Amino acid sequence: MQFPATGIAQTAYHTPGQEILGDEIAHAERVIHIDDLLTSSAFISNWEEAMNHYDVRSTYSNEIGFQLAKVMDENIAKVGVLAAREAATITGQAGGTTLTNASYGTDSAVLASGLFDAAQTLDEKNVPDNDRHAFFLPAQYYLLAQNTTVINQWYDGKGSISEGTILKIAGIPIDKTNSIPQTNVTTGPADYQGDFTNTVGLV
């Protein structure tokens, strides 16, 4: 699938009598490769099914559906992280950004500060506020949920230690997921490969 990308228009003050020739707007495209069909299957012997005193078909169907959804979520997260490392589609326009701090995974104050850095970066790239989300593994999510400064209502914090929740930081909703990649992926479709060893989260 090919998706067009266009640059931004230019402006100039007009002098009466001067011909307006029209400026160029840069064009490029992103090509998204369609995956092969992802499958998950299980063999159920008629003899074994007859011997069982319980139904396994519905259980197997649920497990297959869960696994297919899990792989899809993981692939989407990998694409998101890889996109954050990409250069601009159009030269001179905004590309991805990677924020690095060795304490992001273990220090809730540093991680919260990193979310403000992420929000500033998105602001500078004109990303609308309502299009933002942050995704973290449970370890980092609960690390933030225990940060009393972040959830302090005196600071208009949102969340609860008793509920183990954290809603927003820097205007960015926080989501908990097990799909953030954490290893060096060298197998499978090339579009999902990359070294994700030091990845803590995705904004």
Side-chain angles (χ1 to χ4, degrees):
M1 301 289 289
Q2 295 170 298
F3 295 88
T6 56
I8 58 175
Q10 302 178 42
T11 60
Y13 289 103
H14 179 249
T15 301
Q18 186 176 19
E19 184 180 6
I20 300 177
L21 299 175
D23 295 312
E24 293 183 356
I25 296 180
H27 283 254
E29 69 177 9
R30 279 283 180 179
V31 177
I32 306 298
H33 303 285
I34 306 299
D35 291 345
D36 291 333
L37 182 65
L38 182 66
T39 63
S40 178
S41 61
F43 174 73
I44 302 175
S45 165
N46 289 338
W47 180 83
E48 289 182 347
E49 187 176 22
M51 294 290 289
N52 280 335
H53 65 280
Y54 56 90
D55 174 53
V56 296
R57 289 182 180 271
S58 60
T59 301
Y60 284 13
S61 296
N62 287 337
E63 290 297 331
I64 286 172
F66 176 82
Q67 189 60 25
L68 289 171
K70 180 175 181 289
V71 171
M72 184 187 76
D73 287 347
E74 291 173 348
N75 287 344
I76 290 172
K78 290 173 188 174
V79 169
V81 174
L82 292 171
R85 301 174 180 177
E86 278 284 317
T89 303
I90 296 176
T91 303
Q93 301 290 311
T97 297
T98 301
L99 301 176
T100 304
N101 190 306
S103 298
Y104 277 154
T106 56
D107 190 320
S108 64
V110 174
L111 184 56
S113 178
L115 280 162
F116 280 94
D117 293 337
Q120 177 183 337
T121 301
L122 294 172
D123 285 340
E124 292 168 350
K125 296 184 179 185
N126 298 313
V127 176
D129 291 350
N130 59 352
D131 286 344
R132 303 178 183 185
H133 276 271
F135 302 91
F136 291 107
L137 292 165
Q140 282 69 48
Y141 179 89
Y142 290 121
L143 195 68
L144 289 171
Q146 295 177 72
N147 187 319
T148 54
T149 300
V150 169
I151 65 173
N152 192 330
Q153 293 184 359
W154 289 106
Y155 301 142
D156 199 27
K158 305 292 184 183
S160 166
I161 286 181
S162 63
E163 297 293 334
T165 58
I166 177 73
L167 301 184
K168 282 185 178 182
I169 297 177
I172 303 174
I174 312 298
D175 294 306
K176 175 179 56 180
T177 177
N178 283 317
S179 298
I180 298 296
Q182 294 275 283
T183 60
N184 184 11
V185 179
T186 58
T187 59
D191 290 332
Y192 305 129
Q193 293 183 22
D195 188 354
F196 305 104
T197 306
N198 295 318
T199 303
V200 172
L202 173 65
V203 181

